[in-house]
Amino acid sequence: MFRSLCGVSAKAVLLSPLALLSLSTHPAANAQEALPEVAVEQTGKPSARKKKPVAQSSAPAVDEPDVAEPEGGAARLPPVVGVGTRGLAVPLTTTQIGRPEIQSKIPNTSNSAELLRDAPGVSIFKAGGVSGLPVINGLNDDRVKVLVNGMVVTSACANHMNPPLSYADPSQIAYVEVLSGATPVSKGGDSLGGTVIVESLPPHFTGAGEGVHTAGSISAFYRSNGDGVGTAATAHAASNAVSVNYAGAWTRSDNYEDGHGNEVLSSEYEAQNHSIQLAFRDGGDMFIVQGGVQYIPYQAYVNQYMDLVENKAWFVNARYVADLGWGKLDARAFYQTTRHDMNFLDDKQPGDMPMLTDGEDVGYAVKAEIPLSGRDVLRIGNEFHHQGLDDWWPPVAGSMMMGPDTFWNINGGTRDRLGTFVEWERQWTGAWSTLFGVRNDMVWMDTGDVQPYCTMGMMCMSDAAAAAAFNALDRSRTDTNFDATALARFQPSASQSYEAGYARKTRSPNLYERYVWGRGSMAMRMVGWFGDLNGYVGDPDLDPEVAHTASLTAGWSSGVRKDWELKVTPYYTYVEDYIGVRKIGDGGMMAPDVVYLQFANHDAELYGVNVSGSLLLADSSQLGRFALTGVAGYVRGENVDTGVSLYHMMPWNGRIALTHALGGWTSSVEVYAVAGKHNVDTVRNEMETAGYALLNLATSYEWETVRVDLGIKNVLDTYFEDPLAGHYYWASPRDNVPGEGRSFNAGLTLKF
Ligand SMILES: [Cu+2]
């Protein structure tokens, strides 16, 4: 019998459909209740409960409450339980997304960032088909800490075409945790907005005396819009002590059509990811080593001058999790290297302009969780991350501008960070708990001499002068950054919880923000991950940005059963030295829409509110469970120095879904609505967008060995422009990128 790759997915199906579909969990609501039992299960010991066949689980889990698993249980915990998975290390603002929800999204998207979209406060900067950039509470991209299996991976591209989440296909992901606002220092560092933790399909071990077990799955999907297809496969073998997992995925899509039936050029892509995981268990200890490769032969960019024409990467990642007498130890080490090639795909323009990047990320993290008493937990940790980057543009034969020399955009750039934290959590009474943490991150950055395409003649003057000035500088920089977090939670009953938090968080500039130097119009337009088609230059004297965030979360529910839930989180963030831009020129007659910008420190403030909730409408053994779930958010961000709106602030947006679940059958009718975007960054010529609403339908049925997903996205084929999609390369005069029109999506998964 197939018992699921990991136990997590089978267990998850036993959960209440309401919990499955609700994205507004507060996982640690019963922090004082026992969690260790779950932890043991998660480290691989299958429990008798999990053997219950999926198809027979017609009785919702809500009717059989499980005290060991507060609100959602196994699927709501990381597949491998390490440090920081309980109590205030999981603040009330956390959204945990389990395998069932992820699985239902696979037919709809190949972009793992889209998996986060339903979490309160999250929106996505549109990039290529698999490379969206997450935003949490208005703070985007590098300001969000993204950990894929604990690895810190940095975009190795001047357009951030290969952000961390682009290295994992949705089909390979088992668990996502999104922390917004005031995050514990144990999960922070070198970020401002929040933390995204993504974990792949976990190891699974057999019980004593069960012998060797094997399992696997193959799946395929089709999307009518863009003729998108994909396949994924998993294979698994396990004994009592050893687990081997393979997970691979391949996907491709042509350009999609908008709601008017027009093809949106430069939106095609193809990608494949493969990984192998080997895990060994000995009692409560586990050692996991994972290796993987990625190959993207092409990914077009609708809002950039360049396209990705090849991205090749591989990684090795090792982790050791141990339950020692004095506490829990969680240690990781990783290496990833990426070769990234940009040029023009057929859509964009003829000709040739190769731009190459070599990036590497190396690091370790050692964290420990030590129970000091029945009430106190101490978490300490030390981590190191090294980023190395070369970014160079070979000369183009016969070109006046692009030659005769190689353009060195970043030559031997390095960014090394050593982080150390200590965090103390105390359960004062049954209702009150607090968490205090401080951390230091030392950041050292440097880079080598640069070179323009040419040094003689009119065409070369700006870049040649800029290179000479840059090479004359002392470019090494050291930042001493301090973060602090304080959280207090008050939970007087199962139906009420309140949490107040303050966090000071610091991010040092990335290598591009500090060290990109070209002043020629072409060189500048090659830099920027904003999708605005403007040109950017760095500033070695940029200071780190420091955010002070205060937030309050109030959650109410009907009690343990959660027949209804409501959670509201208002927040305010003041950012000292926010890395924004100042205008240094424009495109003039030649390119009237383009502005040239230099990264610059300003003060900024952001504030907003996130709301989420669910409501059980009906629950009958014949008709199943009907529920409403909803999420809404608003953010406003402003440059305090100038009063101008920050770039890409998501206007009021929300989704409400009517869900139904009966046995293995789940369905939803969803309306997603976005208000018009009228607060725009006028310095960048950001354009306004109109409000819109989209209707989405989805249904799925899961038998023991077969799962079918059917859905229609944008049922009414509505034309819309996503407020964070940026500017359409093809539009003249300048315009927004059109969103995807209707798509019929289907997916099939076979398990064996
Ligand atoms: Cu690129």
Side-chain angles (χ1 to χ4, degrees):
M1 183 186 96
F2 174 74
R3 199 178 50 236
S4 97
L5 204 56
C6 51
V8 168
S9 56
K11 173 65 191 168
V13 180
L14 301 175
L15 301 173
S16 99
L18 189 61
L20 292 189
L21 296 162
S22 159
L23 286 147
S24 57
T25 60
H26 23 104
N30 298 326
Q32 61 271 42
E33 289 192 301
L35 269 175
E37 197 183 318
V38 179
V40 172
E41 281 185 26
Q42 289 302 311
T43 54
K45 288 172 187 160
S47 75
R49 276 195 315 256
K50 280 184 201 153
K51 292 178 189 165
K52 187 173 176 181
V54 167
Q56 292 171 20
S57 66
S58 54
V62 158
D63 297 329
E64 34 182 70
D66 183 346
V67 289
E69 296 177 4
E71 286 178 48
R76 304 253 168 237
L77 280 170
V80 178
V81 170
V83 168
T85 54
R86 53 187 296 199
L88 277 161
V90 187
L92 292 181
T93 55
T94 306
T95 303
Q96 293 174 308
I97 304 170
R99 182 64 182 162
E101 291 143 283
I102 293 167
Q103 198 151 24
S104 69
K105 297 242 160 72
I106 291 171
N108 293 328
T109 184
S110 294
N111 180 357
S112 294
E114 289 289 336
L115 301 178
L116 319 176
R117 195 187 272 275
D118 293 353
V122 171
S123 47
I124 311 291
F125 268 34
K126 186 180 176 65
V130 301
S131 294
L133 304 170
V135 188
I136 298 180
N137 292 349
L139 295 163
N140 68 309
D141 190 22
D142 280 0
R143 295 185 175 109
V144 176
K145 190 178 187 79
V146 180
L147 297 168
V148 179
N149 289 315
M151 304 200 322
V152 182
V153 172
T154 324
S155 292
C157 167
N159 303 146
H160 287 198
M161 290 178 175
N162 42 23
L165 289 174
S166 69
Y167 292 104
D169 185 90
S171 68
Q172 297 171 305
I173 299 176
Y175 173 79
V176 177
E177 182 173 308
V178 183
L179 295 98
S180 59
T183 50
V185 294
S186 57
K187 293 180 176 176
D190 205 27
S191 60
L192 299 187
T195 299
V196 174
I197 292 168
V198 171
E199 303 227 3
S200 58
L201 301 170
H204 160 255
F205 302 94
T206 58
E210 280 188 72
V212 174
H213 132 108
T214 58
S217 69
I218 49 172
S219 56
F221 66 78
Y222 174 75
R223 298 175 199 133
S224 68
N225 195 345
D227 271 331
V229 291
T231 59
T234 62
H236 166 64
S239 72
N240 190 25
V242 182
S243 163
V244 186
N245 284 355
Y246 161 82
W250 169 85
T251 179
R252 63 162 292 285
S253 176
D254 292 338
N255 293 334
Y256 67 79
E257 285 181 2
D258 68 19
H260 292 150
N262 295 322
E263 180 180 358
V264 175
L265 293 169
S266 291
S267 58
E268 63 189 333
Y269 61 87
E270 180 177 334
Q272 54 179 304
N273 287 280
H274 304 271
S275 70
I276 286 187
Q277 180 197 70
L278 207 65
F280 306 90
R281 180 181 69 162
D282 179 16
D285 300 0
M286 188 154 38
F287 178 74
I288 306 170
V289 57
Q290 189 181 30
V293 294
Q294 186 209 52
Y295 180 62
I296 301 184
Y298 60 88
Q299 187 181 190
Y301 276 71
V302 66
N303 56 16
Q304 291 285 359
Y305 294 98
M306 304 303 295
D307 298 311
L308 183 164
V309 298
E310 191 171 75
N311 202 81
K312 286 188 291 193
W314 63 266
F315 72 87
V316 186
N317 183 17
R319 183 176 184 191
Y320 175 66
V321 182
D323 242 324
L324 304 168
W326 49 264
K328 205 178 272 179
L329 182 72
D330 192 341
R332 305 170 188 260
F334 62 89
Y335 176 82
Q336 166 150 332
T337 178
T338 299
R339 170 62 179 263
H340 175 72
D341 289 21
M342 288 196 287
N343 211 317
F344 308 121
L345 291 172
D346 288 348
D347 270 4
K348 204 149 268 173
Q349 66 175 74
D352 192 31
M353 183 181 172
M355 297 172 64
L356 309 177
T357 315
D358 268 338
E360 66 172 8
D361 290 279
V362 193
Y364 73 77
V366 182
K367 299 180 184 183
E369 189 167 83
I370 307 160
L372 297 177
S373 74
R375 296 179 173 280
D376 300 270
V377 175
L378 188 71
R379 295 186 194 93
I380 54 172
N382 174 265
E383 60 189 41
F384 176 74
H385 172 233
H386 160 81
Q387 182 203 0
L389 182 71
D390 282 319
D391 184 331
W392 73 103
W393 312 345
V396 177
S399 165
M400 291 275 287
M401 278 176 75
M402 295 177 284
D405 300 323
T406 295
F407 187 105
W408 277 94
N409 193 32
I410 303 267
N411 178 19
T414 56
R415 188 179 191 276
D416 296 329
R417 180 173 60 86
L418 183 67
T420 312
F421 69 82
V422 55
E423 185 172 282
W424 168 51
E425 183 175 339
R426 180 173 172 86
Q427 183 86 42
W428 295 90
T429 65
W432 278 99
S433 53
T434 57
L435 176 146
F436 299 98
V438 290
R439 72 176 285 151
N440 163 248
D441 285 276
M442 297 299 302
V443 180
W444 298 275
M445 290 170 66
D446 204 355
T447 188
D449 283 352
V450 296
Q451 176 176 285
Y453 277 122
C454 50
T455 49
M456 313 278 273
M458 283 290 288
M459 298 283 209
C460 308
M461 268 172 34
S462 315
D463 284 339
F470 187 83
N471 290 340
L473 286 178
D474 172 10
R475 299 175 296 267
S476 82
R477 294 290 181 273
T478 302
D479 302 322
T480 307
N481 300 335
F482 289 98
D483 288 8
T485 296
L487 291 169
R489 181 182 293 170
F490 177 57
Q491 215 155 21
S493 70
S495 59
Q496 293 176 65
S497 41
Y498 306 94
E499 195 172 279
Y502 162 80
R504 173 197 156 102
K505 300 171 77 175
T506 315
R507 179 183 76 96
S508 284
N510 65 40
L511 285 169
Y512 287 104
E513 287 165 334
R514 260 193 176 142
Y515 294 138
V516 159
W517 55 273
R519 290 286 186 145
S521 59
M522 200 268 298
M524 291 181 67
R525 275 181 289 154
M526 296 299 104
V527 177
W529 42 94
F530 309 97
D532 60 1
L533 301 170
N534 293 318
Y536 289 82
V537 63
D539 180 356
D541 290 326
L542 279 181
D543 287 321
E545 45 186 16
V546 180
H548 302 269
T549 298
S551 73
L552 187 71
T553 300
W556 300 277
S557 71
S558 60
V560 176
R561 284 172 53 100
K562 305 286 180 244
D563 289 344
W564 61 267
E565 285 184 83
L566 177 67
K567 191 164 69 173
V568 182
T569 304
Y571 59 88
Y572 175 84
T573 299
Y574 191 91
V575 191
E576 295 170 58
D577 294 322
Y578 180 89
I579 298 174
V581 292
R582 66 187 183 88
K583 185 174 170 179
I584 56 172
D586 56 43
M589 299 278 280
M590 295 285 286
D593 295 324
V594 175
V595 286
Y596 296 105
L597 305 161
Q598 182 169 33
F599 292 111
N601 291 119
H602 295 282
D603 281 7
E605 63 177 8
L606 302 99
Y607 52 88
V609 63
N610 298 318
V611 182
S612 58
S614 63
L615 173 65
L616 178 66
L617 299 174
D619 187 2
S620 99
S621 53
Q622 277 91 44
L623 299 173
R625 287 173 72 88
F626 291 87
L628 280 176
T629 65
V631 180
Y634 175 76
V635 61
R636 178 99 168 84
E638 204 172 270
N639 180 325
V640 174
D641 301 343
T642 63
V644 174
S645 173
L646 299 180
Y647 182 65
H648 269 185
M649 288 296 116
M650 192 68 184
W652 268 113
N653 66 97
R655 66 186 64 229
I656 188 157
L658 172 65
T659 63
H660 172 245
L662 177 62
W665 184 34
T666 56
S667 309
S668 72
V669 180
E670 180 195 70
V671 175
Y672 175 57
V674 180
K677 179 182 71 176
H678 306 298
N679 294 316
V680 291
D681 183 350
T682 49
V683 179
R684 299 192 208 219
N685 289 345
E686 183 182 8
M687 297 194 69
E688 297 190 16
T689 52
Y692 59 90
L694 306 177
L695 175 65
N696 302 314
L697 301 178
T699 190
S700 70
Y701 198 89
E702 185 156 355
W703 292 268
E704 200 160 322
T705 58
V706 179
R707 179 190 167 104
V708 176
D709 285 276
L710 295 171
I712 311 174
K713 269 185 87 178
N714 194 355
V715 174
L716 304 175
D717 210 10
T718 305
Y719 178 88
F720 69 98
E721 293 164 351
D722 184 315
L724 308 193
H727 294 150
Y728 191 24
Y729 177 87
W730 294 99
S732 181
R734 179 162 284 184
D735 207 348
N736 295 296
V737 174
E740 281 186 61
R742 178 169 46 222
S743 185
F744 296 91
N745 301 340
L748 178 68
T749 299
L750 304 174
K751 302 174 198 169
F752 48 86

